[in-house]
Amino acid sequence: GQQVQQSPASLVLQEGENAELQCNFSSTATRLQWFYQHPGGRLVSLFYNPSGTKHTGRLTSTTVTNERRGSLHISSSQTTDSGTYFCAIDQTGGYKVVFGSGTRLL
Amino acid sequence: EAAVTQSPRNKVTVTGGNVTLSCRQTNSHNYMYWYRQDTGHGLRLIHYSYGAGNLQIGDVPDGYKATRTTQEDFFLLLELASPSQTSLYFCASSDGTGGGQNTLYFGAGTRLSVL
């Protein structure tokens, strides 16, 4: 089945620093999305990004499908960015959505 | 924003007990999902469904049944609960149409403890 690897597993930043979160997956026929989990547990969608680059605020999602990788860039980090970030993939034409193990950001 | 409601929010049961977790979405989404979240494993897919009466097997289905009774309602059943099923359970829904967009919307989660 689909494999999703995220790195790093955890990351500690000083406020104002940038972060780059990585997501690698096992199939080229894949749609990628990013989620943020609040420290209290709530999960929210950040990006649905099958390919290319998308921006919202200080966040940038880049997906290079033929290289089976995606990244989430956080610029000028703030304490409110703390939490866990997940990438998830589903195969084009299918709807089984599989998650990586997450990156915990502090 | 899609609305997904899970109940109960917390549940404690004993080994061998029966538990039903409920999920309702009010946006007429086609797809609904059940995940469990455990430290070190992220979210793991238990079952999912693309409509009333349909059930698809996920990656960790052992010990779980699920039933999609309506477009809105998806239930997760633990008929002989075991301590290994102590976890945080999330339900999610997605439209699954409209050019392939499949953004997931999550409920608040149910924390289950099996003693």
Side-chain angles (χ1 to χ4, degrees):
Chain A
Q2 279 282 10
Q3 301 292 322
V4 185
Q5 302 292 334
Q6 288 189 248
S7 61
S10 63
L11 188 57
V12 179
L13 298 176
Q14 295 293 320
E15 197 168 21
E17 291 184 323
N18 298 332
E20 187 91 1
L21 283 57
Q22 304 292 336
C23 179
N24 293 280
F25 43 90
S26 58
S27 170
T28 55
T30 297
R31 300 175 293 197
L32 186 145
Q33 49 189 315
W34 287 94
F35 294 88
Y36 169 67
Q37 186 170 37
H38 290 260
R42 188 166 65 96
L43 280 154
V44 295
S45 174
L46 296 175
F47 291 101
Y48 189 89
N49 188 13
S51 64
T53 300
K54 292 187 176 181
H55 304 275
T56 181
R58 295 180 292 104
L59 303 180
T60 300
S61 165
T62 300
T63 303
V64 186
T65 305
N66 61 358
E67 295 182 10
R68 301 194 297 274
R69 62 179 176 86
S71 65
L72 180 68
H73 183 84
I74 305 172
S75 62
S76 301
S77 64
Q78 301 176 0
T79 57
T80 53
D81 295 330
S82 295
T84 305
Y85 294 80
F86 291 99
C87 70
I89 57 96
D90 62 304
Q91 288 186 281
T92 306
Y95 294 91
K96 178 184 176 182
V97 183
V98 177
F99 281 73
S101 297
T103 293
R104 179 172 289 185
L105 176 62
L106 179 64
Chain B
E1 182 81 7
V4 181
T5 304
Q6 292 184 236
S7 62
R9 293 295 313 279
N10 294 280
K11 178 73 176 178
V12 180
T13 189
V14 296
T15 300
N18 289 346
V19 177
T20 298
L21 307 184
S22 302
C23 179
R24 166 166 283 201
Q25 54 94 4
T26 57
N27 289 277
S28 300
H29 282 173
N30 294 309
Y31 282 81
M32 296 185 74
Y33 304 79
W34 277 108
Y35 291 89
R36 61 177 289 173
Q37 184 177 22
D38 307 288
T39 303
H41 289 282
L43 281 82
R44 292 183 290 175
L45 182 63
I46 304 171
H47 292 297
Y48 63 111
S49 165
Y50 61 72
N54 176 264
L55 183 66
Q56 303 293 313
I57 305 301
D59 294 324
V60 290
D62 293 347
Y64 301 97
K65 294 183 179 180
T67 180
R68 181 93 175 265
T69 55
T70 65
Q71 183 79 353
E72 294 77 22
D73 297 303
F74 194 29
F75 300 93
L76 186 67
L77 297 83
L78 292 73
E79 293 186 332
L80 288 171
S82 73
S84 64
Q85 293 176 307
T86 294
S87 188
L88 179 59
Y89 291 86
F90 285 101
C91 175
S93 73
S94 69
D95 188 9
T97 58
Q101 184 83 2
N102 196 39
T103 301
L104 265 61
Y105 297 90
F106 280 89
T110 294
R111 189 167 296 279
L112 174 67
S113 295
V114 184
L115 305 178

